[in-house]
Amino acid sequence: MIKYSEAVAKALGDKSPIVALESTIITHGLPRPKNLEVALEVEQIVIEAGATPATIAIIDGQIHIGLEPDQLTRIANDENILKASIRDLAVISTQKKSAATTVAATSHIANMAGISLFATGGLGGVHREAWQSWDESADLLALANTPVLIVCSGAKSILDVSATLERLETLSVPILGYKTNKFPGFYLTDSGFELEHRVETARDIAQIWRARGDVAINKSALIVANPVSNQMDKALHDQLLFDGLSKAKIDGVVGKAVTPFLLDYFHTNSKGESLRVNIEIIKANAALAAQIAVALK
Ligand code: PSU
Ligand code: MN
Protein backbone atom coordinates (compact mmCIF):
# COMPACT_ATOMS: atom_id res chain seq x y z
CA MET A 1 0.00 0.00 0.00
CA ILE A 2 2.80 2.39 0.89
CA LYS A 3 5.77 3.52 -1.11
CA TYR A 4 8.76 4.95 0.76
CA SER A 5 11.29 7.35 -0.66
CA GLU A 6 14.82 6.01 -0.72
CA ALA A 7 15.84 8.25 2.18
CA VAL A 8 12.85 7.30 4.35
CA ALA A 9 13.26 3.58 3.65
CA LYS A 10 16.89 3.87 4.74
CA ALA A 11 16.03 5.86 7.88
CA LEU A 12 13.36 3.32 8.86
CA GLY A 13 15.88 0.52 8.39
CA ASP A 14 18.54 2.33 10.41
CA LYS A 15 15.99 3.40 13.05
CA SER A 16 17.29 6.94 12.65
CA PRO A 17 15.12 10.03 13.38
CA ILE A 18 12.30 10.80 10.93
CA VAL A 19 9.84 13.71 10.81
CA ALA A 20 6.56 13.31 8.93
CA LEU A 21 5.34 16.43 7.10
CA GLU A 22 1.84 17.02 5.80
CA SER A 23 1.12 18.02 2.23
CA THR A 24 -2.18 19.92 2.52
CA ILE A 25 -0.20 22.82 3.87
CA ILE A 26 1.71 22.82 0.54
CA THR A 27 -1.24 22.36 -1.81
CA HIS A 28 -4.10 24.11 -0.01
CA GLY A 29 -2.39 26.27 2.59
CA LEU A 30 0.25 28.24 0.66
CA PRO A 31 0.03 30.05 -2.69
CA ARG A 32 1.94 28.78 -5.75
CA PRO A 33 4.82 29.01 -6.60
CA LYS A 34 5.98 29.91 -3.07
CA ASN A 35 4.58 26.60 -1.78
CA LEU A 36 7.20 24.46 -3.53
CA GLU A 37 10.04 26.68 -2.38
CA VAL A 38 8.84 26.42 1.23
CA ALA A 39 8.28 22.65 1.02
CA LEU A 40 11.87 22.16 -0.15
CA GLU A 41 13.26 24.51 2.50
CA VAL A 42 11.35 22.74 5.24
CA GLU A 43 12.78 19.38 4.17
CA GLN A 44 16.26 20.92 4.26
CA ILE A 45 15.67 22.25 7.79
CA VAL A 46 14.75 18.76 8.99
CA ILE A 47 17.87 17.31 7.38
CA GLU A 48 20.12 19.96 8.92
CA ALA A 49 18.68 19.16 12.34
CA GLY A 50 19.72 15.54 11.90
CA ALA A 51 16.48 13.85 10.85
CA THR A 52 14.95 12.56 7.61
CA PRO A 53 11.91 14.42 6.25
CA ALA A 54 8.95 12.28 5.21
CA THR A 55 6.42 14.38 3.33
CA ILE A 56 3.25 12.34 2.90
CA ALA A 57 0.89 12.51 -0.10
CA ILE A 58 -1.06 10.29 -2.52
CA ILE A 59 0.04 10.31 -6.16
CA ASP A 60 -2.05 8.43 -8.74
CA GLY A 61 -3.52 6.31 -5.98
CA GLN A 62 -0.17 5.45 -4.41
CA ILE A 63 0.44 6.52 -0.82
CA HIS A 64 3.94 7.98 -0.56
CA ILE A 65 5.94 8.50 2.61
CA GLY A 66 8.80 10.72 1.57
CA LEU A 67 8.65 12.45 -1.79
CA GLU A 68 11.44 12.72 -4.33
CA PRO A 69 11.96 16.31 -5.62
CA ASP A 70 10.01 15.66 -8.86
CA GLN A 71 7.06 14.29 -6.87
CA LEU A 72 7.09 17.27 -4.52
CA THR A 73 7.16 19.55 -7.56
CA ARG A 74 4.24 17.72 -9.09
CA ILE A 75 1.93 17.97 -6.09
CA ALA A 76 2.91 21.61 -5.44
CA ASN A 77 2.05 22.59 -9.02
CA ASP A 78 -1.15 20.55 -9.36
CA GLU A 79 -4.07 22.96 -9.06
CA ASN A 80 -6.65 20.17 -9.03
CA ILE A 81 -5.07 18.02 -6.37
CA LEU A 82 -7.59 16.79 -3.78
CA LYS A 83 -7.46 17.24 -0.02
CA ALA A 84 -7.62 13.88 1.72
CA SER A 85 -8.70 13.22 5.25
CA ILE A 86 -8.68 9.71 6.75
CA ARG A 87 -12.07 8.74 5.31
CA ASP A 88 -10.89 9.55 1.78
CA LEU A 89 -7.76 7.38 1.77
CA ALA A 90 -9.19 4.08 0.50
CA VAL A 91 -11.36 5.83 -2.11
CA ILE A 92 -8.55 7.96 -3.50
CA SER A 93 -6.07 5.12 -3.63
CA THR A 94 -8.57 2.77 -5.33
CA GLN A 95 -9.58 5.40 -7.87
CA LYS A 96 -5.93 6.23 -8.58
CA LYS A 97 -6.37 9.92 -7.80
CA SER A 98 -3.84 12.32 -6.31
CA ALA A 99 -4.35 14.07 -2.99
CA ALA A 100 -2.57 15.99 -0.30
CA THR A 101 -3.07 14.68 3.23
CA THR A 102 -4.42 16.72 6.14
CA VAL A 103 -3.18 16.55 9.72
CA ALA A 104 -5.65 13.71 10.33
CA ALA A 105 -4.63 11.66 7.28
CA THR A 106 -0.92 12.38 7.66
CA SER A 107 -0.92 11.28 11.33
CA HIS A 108 -2.81 8.14 10.37
CA ILE A 109 -0.33 7.20 7.64
CA ALA A 110 2.75 8.16 9.68
CA ASN A 111 1.53 5.98 12.52
CA MET A 112 0.95 3.06 10.14
CA ALA A 113 4.61 3.30 9.21
CA GLY A 114 5.80 3.64 12.81
CA ILE A 115 6.85 7.29 12.42
CA SER A 116 5.99 9.16 15.60
CA LEU A 117 7.16 12.73 14.93
CA PHE A 118 5.00 15.00 12.84
CA ALA A 119 5.35 18.74 12.15
CA THR A 120 2.62 21.00 10.80
CA GLY A 121 1.42 24.61 10.89
CA GLY A 122 -1.88 24.81 12.72
CA LEU A 123 -4.31 22.09 13.77
CA GLY A 124 -7.85 21.87 12.53
CA GLY A 125 -10.51 22.13 15.22
CA VAL A 126 -13.99 23.35 16.03
CA HIS A 127 -15.15 26.07 13.64
CA ARG A 128 -16.90 29.22 14.79
CA GLU A 129 -20.67 28.75 14.99
CA ALA A 130 -20.12 24.99 14.94
CA TRP A 131 -23.22 24.74 17.12
CA GLN A 132 -25.07 25.56 13.90
CA SER A 133 -22.85 24.10 11.16
CA TRP A 134 -21.47 21.07 13.07
CA ASP A 135 -18.15 21.86 11.37
CA GLU A 136 -15.46 20.22 13.43
CA SER A 137 -12.20 19.08 11.81
CA ALA A 138 -11.51 15.37 11.56
CA ASP A 139 -8.09 16.35 12.96
CA LEU A 140 -9.60 16.24 16.46
CA LEU A 141 -10.76 12.63 16.36
CA ALA A 142 -7.53 11.63 14.64
CA LEU A 143 -5.55 13.26 17.47
CA ALA A 144 -7.60 11.26 19.96
CA ASN A 145 -6.91 8.00 18.16
CA THR A 146 -3.40 8.29 16.76
CA PRO A 147 -0.26 8.11 18.91
CA VAL A 148 1.90 10.70 17.17
CA LEU A 149 3.90 13.56 18.65
CA ILE A 150 2.73 16.56 16.70
CA VAL A 151 4.47 19.93 16.69
CA CYS A 152 2.23 22.83 15.66
CA SER A 153 1.55 26.49 16.42
CA GLY A 154 -1.79 25.88 18.04
CA ALA A 155 -5.08 25.84 16.21
CA LYS A 156 -5.85 28.25 13.41
CA SER A 157 -7.35 31.50 14.66
CA ILE A 158 -10.13 31.13 12.09
CA LEU A 159 -11.51 28.50 14.50
CA ASP A 160 -13.36 28.66 17.79
CA VAL A 161 -10.21 28.16 19.84
CA SER A 162 -12.01 27.87 23.17
CA ALA A 163 -14.26 25.08 21.88
CA THR A 164 -11.28 23.37 20.24
CA LEU A 165 -9.40 23.32 23.55
CA GLU A 166 -12.47 21.94 25.35
CA ARG A 167 -12.78 19.16 22.77
CA LEU A 168 -9.08 18.29 23.11
CA GLU A 169 -9.62 17.95 26.86
CA THR A 170 -12.65 15.69 26.35
CA LEU A 171 -10.70 13.59 23.87
CA SER A 172 -7.78 13.27 26.35
CA VAL A 173 -5.25 14.85 24.02
CA PRO A 174 -2.49 16.53 26.07
CA ILE A 175 -0.92 19.84 25.04
CA LEU A 176 2.56 21.03 26.01
CA GLY A 177 3.40 24.70 25.60
CA TYR A 178 6.95 24.98 24.28
CA LYS A 179 8.51 27.80 26.31
CA THR A 180 5.04 29.25 26.81
CA ASN A 181 2.06 29.13 29.16
CA LYS A 182 -0.29 30.31 26.44
CA PHE A 183 -1.95 28.32 23.71
CA PRO A 184 -0.58 29.84 20.48
CA GLY A 185 -3.02 31.28 17.95
CA PHE A 186 -1.31 30.22 14.71
CA TYR A 187 -0.81 33.71 13.18
CA LEU A 188 -0.61 35.07 16.73
CA THR A 189 1.75 34.12 19.54
CA ASP A 190 -1.06 33.93 22.08
CA SER A 191 -4.63 32.85 21.38
CA GLY A 192 -5.71 34.28 24.73
CA PHE A 193 -6.05 30.87 26.39
CA GLU A 194 -3.83 29.47 29.13
CA LEU A 195 -2.06 26.13 28.96
CA GLU A 196 -1.57 23.92 31.98
CA HIS A 197 1.73 22.35 30.95
CA ARG A 198 4.91 24.04 29.85
CA VAL A 199 8.22 22.53 28.70
CA GLU A 200 11.57 24.15 27.96
CA THR A 201 13.55 21.68 25.86
CA ALA A 202 13.24 18.98 23.22
CA ARG A 203 14.65 16.56 25.77
CA ASP A 204 11.85 17.32 28.25
CA ILE A 205 9.34 16.57 25.51
CA ALA A 206 11.06 13.31 24.57
CA GLN A 207 10.99 12.27 28.23
CA ILE A 208 7.27 12.93 28.54
CA TRP A 209 6.62 11.02 25.32
CA ARG A 210 8.47 8.00 26.68
CA ALA A 211 6.77 8.21 30.07
CA ARG A 212 3.37 7.77 28.46
CA GLY A 213 4.03 4.06 28.10
CA ASP A 214 4.50 3.74 31.87
CA VAL A 215 0.98 4.97 32.47
CA ALA A 216 -0.52 2.97 29.59
CA ILE A 217 -1.27 5.96 27.39
CA ASN A 218 -0.72 4.77 23.86
CA LYS A 219 -3.77 5.80 21.92
CA SER A 220 -3.76 9.59 21.67
CA ALA A 221 -1.47 12.16 20.14
CA LEU A 222 0.76 14.47 22.17
CA ILE A 223 0.57 18.07 21.00
CA VAL A 224 3.56 20.38 21.30
CA ALA A 225 2.44 23.96 20.84
CA ASN A 226 5.24 26.16 19.52
CA PRO A 227 4.29 29.84 19.23
CA VAL A 228 5.41 31.98 16.29
CA SER A 229 8.14 34.45 17.32
CA ASN A 230 7.16 37.42 15.16
CA GLN A 231 3.40 37.35 15.10
CA MET A 232 1.15 38.97 12.54
CA ASP A 233 -0.03 42.52 13.20
CA LYS A 234 -2.93 41.97 15.61
CA ALA A 235 -5.22 44.69 14.21
CA LEU A 236 -4.71 43.47 10.63
CA HIS A 237 -5.30 39.90 11.77
CA ASP A 238 -8.58 40.73 13.51
CA GLN A 239 -9.82 42.77 10.56
CA LEU A 240 -9.04 40.04 8.01
CA LEU A 241 -10.59 37.41 10.22
CA PHE A 242 -13.81 39.38 10.48
CA ASP A 243 -13.92 40.12 6.73
CA GLY A 244 -12.89 36.59 5.70
CA LEU A 245 -15.52 34.93 7.87
CA SER A 246 -18.29 37.14 6.48
CA LYS A 247 -17.13 36.56 2.91
CA ALA A 248 -17.10 32.77 3.47
CA LYS A 249 -20.67 33.03 4.70
CA ILE A 250 -21.83 35.19 1.78
CA ASP A 251 -20.13 32.88 -0.74
CA GLY A 252 -21.69 29.82 0.91
CA VAL A 253 -18.34 28.07 1.45
CA VAL A 254 -18.83 24.78 3.33
CA GLY A 255 -17.12 21.48 4.22
CA LYS A 256 -13.45 20.94 3.50
CA ALA A 257 -13.30 24.12 1.41
CA VAL A 258 -13.70 26.37 4.47
CA THR A 259 -10.15 26.20 5.82
CA PRO A 260 -8.38 26.68 2.42
CA PHE A 261 -10.77 29.55 1.62
CA LEU A 262 -9.94 31.43 4.80
CA LEU A 263 -6.19 30.80 4.58
CA ASP A 264 -6.27 32.08 1.00
CA TYR A 265 -8.30 35.11 2.06
CA PHE A 266 -5.58 35.97 4.58
CA HIS A 267 -2.76 35.45 2.06
CA THR A 268 -4.47 37.53 -0.61
CA ASN A 269 -5.39 40.44 1.63
CA SER A 270 -2.58 40.74 4.17
CA LYS A 271 0.06 41.96 1.67
CA GLY A 272 2.38 39.09 2.51
CA GLU A 273 2.05 39.30 6.30
CA SER A 274 0.11 36.07 6.80
CA LEU A 275 2.35 34.27 4.32
CA ARG A 276 5.48 35.41 6.16
CA VAL A 277 4.06 34.17 9.45
CA ASN A 278 2.76 30.91 7.99
CA ILE A 279 6.17 30.11 6.51
CA GLU A 280 7.95 30.99 9.73
CA ILE A 281 5.61 28.68 11.65
CA ILE A 282 6.14 25.69 9.39
CA LYS A 283 9.92 26.07 9.44
CA ALA A 284 10.16 26.50 13.21
CA ASN A 285 7.89 23.53 13.85
CA ALA A 286 9.85 21.30 11.47
CA ALA A 287 13.09 22.26 13.23
CA LEU A 288 11.67 21.56 16.69
CA ALA A 289 10.14 18.25 15.57
CA ALA A 290 13.53 17.18 14.22
CA GLN A 291 15.20 18.11 17.52
CA ILE A 292 12.66 16.00 19.41
CA ALA A 293 13.11 13.10 16.98
CA VAL A 294 16.86 13.26 17.60
CA ALA A 295 16.33 13.51 21.38
CA LEU A 296 14.17 10.38 21.27
CA LYS A 297 16.98 8.28 19.82
N1 PSU B 1 -2.20 24.33 8.79
C1 PSU B 1 -1.71 25.20 7.87
N2 PSU B 1 -2.19 25.14 6.61
C2 PSU B 1 -3.13 24.20 6.24
C3 PSU B 1 -3.65 23.29 7.21
C4 PSU B 1 -3.14 23.40 8.46
O1 PSU B 1 -0.82 26.02 8.18
O2 PSU B 1 -3.49 24.15 5.08
C5 PSU B 1 -4.61 22.20 6.81
C6 PSU B 1 -4.21 20.92 7.57
O3 PSU B 1 -4.00 19.92 6.62
C7 PSU B 1 -5.38 20.60 8.46
C8 PSU B 1 -6.49 21.10 7.62
O4 PSU B 1 -5.46 19.24 8.78
O5 PSU B 1 -5.99 22.35 7.15
C9 PSU B 1 -7.78 21.19 8.39
O6 PSU B 1 -8.84 21.24 7.48
P1 PSU B 1 -10.34 21.02 7.97
O7 PSU B 1 -10.65 22.20 8.81
O8 PSU B 1 -11.15 20.97 6.69
O9 PSU B 1 -10.37 19.73 8.72
MN1 MN C 1 -14.59 20.99 8.32
Side-chain angles (χ1 to χ4, degrees):
M1 259 330 257
I2 293 176
K3 198 164 168 53
Y4 298 98
S5 68
E6 224 172 280
V8 171
K10 182 167 186 312
L12 280 170
D14 297 348
K15 299 201 186 313
S16 62
I18 303 176
V19 175
L21 299 165
E22 66 147 313
S23 45
T24 298
I25 228 174
I26 305 170
T27 58
H28 293 74
L30 296 170
R32 293 176 196 81
K34 194 78 187 165
N35 61 346
L36 176 60
E37 197 184 303
V38 175
L40 291 165
E41 280 173 13
V42 167
E43 295 214 337
Q44 205 47 46
I45 286 169
V46 171
I47 293 168
E48 278 161 22
T52 301
T55 303
I56 294 179
I58 310 174
I59 302 177
D60 300 329
Q62 175 70 59
I63 295 176
H64 288 268
I65 301 189
L67 299 179
E68 309 297 350
D70 61 314
Q71 293 169 328
L72 202 53
T73 306
R74 175 167 162 197
I75 68 152
N77 291 337
D78 183 352
E79 286 185 29
N80 298 314
I81 192 158
L82 303 168
K83 169 180 166 186
S85 193
I86 295 175
R87 67 173 188 167
D88 307 308
L89 294 177
V91 186
I92 287 169
S93 62
T94 305
Q95 298 183 341
K96 307 270 176 267
K97 291 180 176 162
S98 299
T101 49
T102 62
V103 166
T106 308
S107 320
H108 182 84
I109 295 168
N111 182 50
M112 268 169 73
I115 299 171
S116 46
L117 253 298
F118 172 22
T120 184
L123 302 174
V126 181
H127 283 256
R128 289 161 194 252
E129 296 178 27
W131 48 271
Q132 211 170 19
S133 67
W134 290 77
D135 190 354
E136 177 180 312
S137 176
D139 289 357
L140 289 179
L141 262 190
L143 291 166
N145 294 317
T146 322
V148 289
L149 202 169
I150 176 164
V151 182
C152 63
S153 298
K156 273 159 283 200
S157 47
I158 56 175
L159 301 168
D160 182 334
V161 178
S162 168
T164 301
L165 286 170
E166 293 293 350
R167 290 291 286 143
L168 287 169
E169 183 182 2
T170 306
L171 295 167
S172 287
V173 181
I175 309 170
L176 306 176
Y178 182 67
K179 299 185 177 168
T180 183
N181 298 308
K182 308 282 188 180
F183 188 60
F186 191 58
Y187 294 129
L188 304 175
T189 303
D190 173 5
S191 65
F193 295 91
E194 297 282 327
L195 282 177
E196 216 176 315
H197 306 296
R198 172 184 175 131
V199 287
E200 304 297 333
T201 66
R203 275 189 58 194
D204 296 345
I205 299 166
Q207 215 167 17
I208 291 169
W209 178 250
R210 283 202 213 91
R212 296 187 357 142
D214 302 338
V215 284
I217 294 172
N218 45 30
K219 194 171 156 247
S220 62
L222 172 62
I223 298 174
V224 174
N226 183 25
V228 67
S229 345
N230 296 304
Q231 70 167 16
M232 197 174 154
D233 179 82
K234 177 89 168 70
L236 175 65
H237 170 273
D238 293 353
Q239 183 64 50
L240 291 181
L241 185 56
F242 183 83
D243 295 346
L245 289 168
S246 12
K247 185 151 195 311
K249 207 179 245 177
I250 293 164
D251 291 5
V253 184
V254 291
K256 59 166 71 167
V258 173
T259 298
F261 177 91
L262 290 170
L263 292 176
D264 181 62
Y265 188 87
F266 266 81
H267 292 328
T268 311
N269 295 286
S270 69
K271 301 197 176 72
E273 256 300 276
S274 66
L275 188 56
R276 172 189 70 73
V277 174
N278 209 337
I279 293 171
E280 189 187 313
I281 285 170
I282 305 167
K283 288 183 176 174
N285 294 345
L288 178 57
Q291 285 167 32
I292 301 166
V294 170
L296 270 170
K297 295 293 164 184

